[in-house]
Amino acid sequence: MGAKIKVGTCGYGRYQPPRDWKKNFKSRLHAYSDIFEVVEINKTFYKLPMVETLKRWWEEVSPDFEFTLKAWQALTHQTSSPTWRGKKTGLTPIQMKNFGMLRPNKEVIESWNETKDRGEALQANICVLQTPRSFRCSLENEKNMRQLLSKINRGRLNLAWEPRGDWNENPDTIKKICDDLNLIHIVDLMRRNPLSSHPIAYIRLHGLNPGEYDYNYDYSRDELLELAGKLKVLVQEKETIYCFFNNYAMFKNAQQLKKLLKKN
């Protein structure tokens, strides 16, 4: 089962490698790649790093390590979003107006091309589109999304969509969009199951607090055993499963899950 399930974390910046790690590894990322097989790069969501920087990251990691990346927020989030705070320096007035909401305009398409360049530098297989609660389940947003994602050149990247807000109250719509546009449906498997027919599953685990995106959480052993059981069922349906922790205890929980999966 482990060969089909790739376990990692959303980001690696707070990873604490073993003592004396600098004797054996070139960087914190290199040390991370010795423990995990994949990482989701989320720095690309806030501000796109230089292509040369990402090529260097790819050269640093262990063989067979894999990157996924989160699409630049210029695709999904309007510049009025709090996520843009401190990240708007250098944007033109037209970009300020036209970025976000998956609108099929010139500025959003260009932001996709910039994201795609970063994905290619990382030799990534998957790019995450995380739409905000403000991107509501509406005919206008669905139309824009369909036009944009049908128009762009995806290259080698598979697109994975994490819908938030009222989309989750409309599962039939999510499934149809994902299947029509060949999207991976991103879910928190402890809350809901993926709806798309795509052969890849992409799991992002945020914790089990009452607020779905309250990341201050540490999964118990029983919860991780439940998660391992759910993955064991899902692995019968999918070719590959990416399972990322996105909670404050993500490094500990990811290593715990890896051990549980090995026992099965």
Side-chain angles (χ1 to χ4, degrees):
M1 183 168 67
K4 293 180 66 175
I5 301 175
K6 301 174 182 288
V7 178
T9 60
C10 296
Y12 68 90
R14 294 187 290 112
Y15 175 62
Q16 296 297 322
R19 184 178 298 178
D20 298 330
W21 64 272
K22 291 183 179 180
K23 294 180 179 179
N24 301 310
F25 302 104
K26 295 175 286 187
S27 65
R28 189 181 302 272
L29 174 59
H30 187 200
Y32 174 98
S33 73
D34 188 58
I35 302 296
F36 300 103
E37 52 264 86
V38 65
V39 69
E40 180 188 288
I41 296 296
N42 46 35
K43 288 183 179 180
T44 47
F45 172 79
Y46 295 100
K47 185 176 181 179
L48 292 172
M50 298 289 290
V51 168
E52 292 74 15
T53 299
L54 300 183
K55 287 181 177 178
R56 188 179 71 249
W57 290 356
W58 183 84
E59 292 170 353
E60 287 179 358
V61 296
S62 300
D64 301 322
F65 185 79
E66 186 174 351
F67 292 95
T68 70
L69 78 157
K70 200 170 173 184
W72 187 22
Q73 62 180 328
L75 278 92
T76 52
H77 289 59
Q78 292 179 291
T79 54
S80 57
S81 168
T83 58
W84 277 100
R85 188 175 294 116
K87 306 295 182 183
K88 291 186 274 192
T89 303
L91 298 186
T92 67
I94 294 177
Q95 288 174 327
M96 292 279 289
K97 178 182 177 181
N98 288 346
F99 273 170
M101 305 298 277
L102 296 178
R103 288 174 288 181
N105 59 46
K106 177 183 176 183
E107 289 72 33
V108 172
I109 291 172
E110 287 176 350
S111 71
W112 163 253
N113 291 331
E114 294 279 358
T115 297
K116 177 171 167 285
D117 288 345
R118 273 61 179 186
E120 291 174 348
L122 292 169
Q123 300 196 24
N125 185 42
I126 297 175
C127 181
V128 171
L129 294 170
Q130 178 193 297
T131 51
R133 293 178 64 89
S134 59
F135 184 80
R136 298 183 61 81
C137 181
S138 69
L139 291 176
E140 179 184 3
N141 286 336
E142 180 179 345
K143 178 182 177 182
N144 286 338
M145 183 178 186
R146 286 179 176 277
Q147 288 184 4
L148 176 70
L149 300 187
S150 297
K151 181 182 298 188
I152 60 174
N153 175 10
R154 303 186 189 189
R156 60 173 284 165
L157 288 168
N158 290 287
L159 290 181
W161 176 36
E162 184 184 63
R164 297 192 174 187
D166 64 348
W167 287 96
N168 292 316
E169 301 166 16
N170 298 274
D172 292 343
T173 303
I174 291 176
K175 176 171 176 53
K176 181 164 178 53
I177 290 173
C178 286
D179 290 348
D180 287 351
L181 296 175
N182 193 29
L183 304 178
I184 302 163
H185 177 211
I186 297 176
V187 296
D188 183 333
L189 194 61
M190 296 295 280
R191 295 179 182 269
R192 55 185 65 91
N193 293 317
L195 298 172
S196 70
S197 301
H198 201 287
I200 296 173
Y202 199 106
I203 312 302
R204 299 180 92 234
L205 300 156
H206 308 301
L208 293 173
N209 289 314
E212 184 166 352
Y213 305 111
D214 177 356
Y215 308 119
N216 186 15
Y217 199 80
D218 185 356
Y219 289 91
S220 69
R221 177 175 173 80
D222 285 346
E223 289 166 345
L224 292 171
L225 283 169
E226 180 183 353
L227 173 60
K230 289 177 179 289
L231 290 169
K232 188 174 182 179
V233 172
L234 188 59
V235 83
Q236 305 303 319
E237 306 171 10
K238 301 293 184 180
E239 293 179 4
T240 309
I241 299 173
Y242 293 80
C243 184
F244 292 98
F245 286 84
N246 193 34
N247 56 311
Y248 289 171
M250 59 185 176
F251 302 111
K252 181 182 80 170
N253 290 161
Q255 291 184 72
Q256 290 172 321
L257 178 63
K258 282 172 61 68
K259 290 178 181 177
L260 290 174
L261 292 174
K262 282 183 180 179
K263 292 180 180 179
N264 294 327

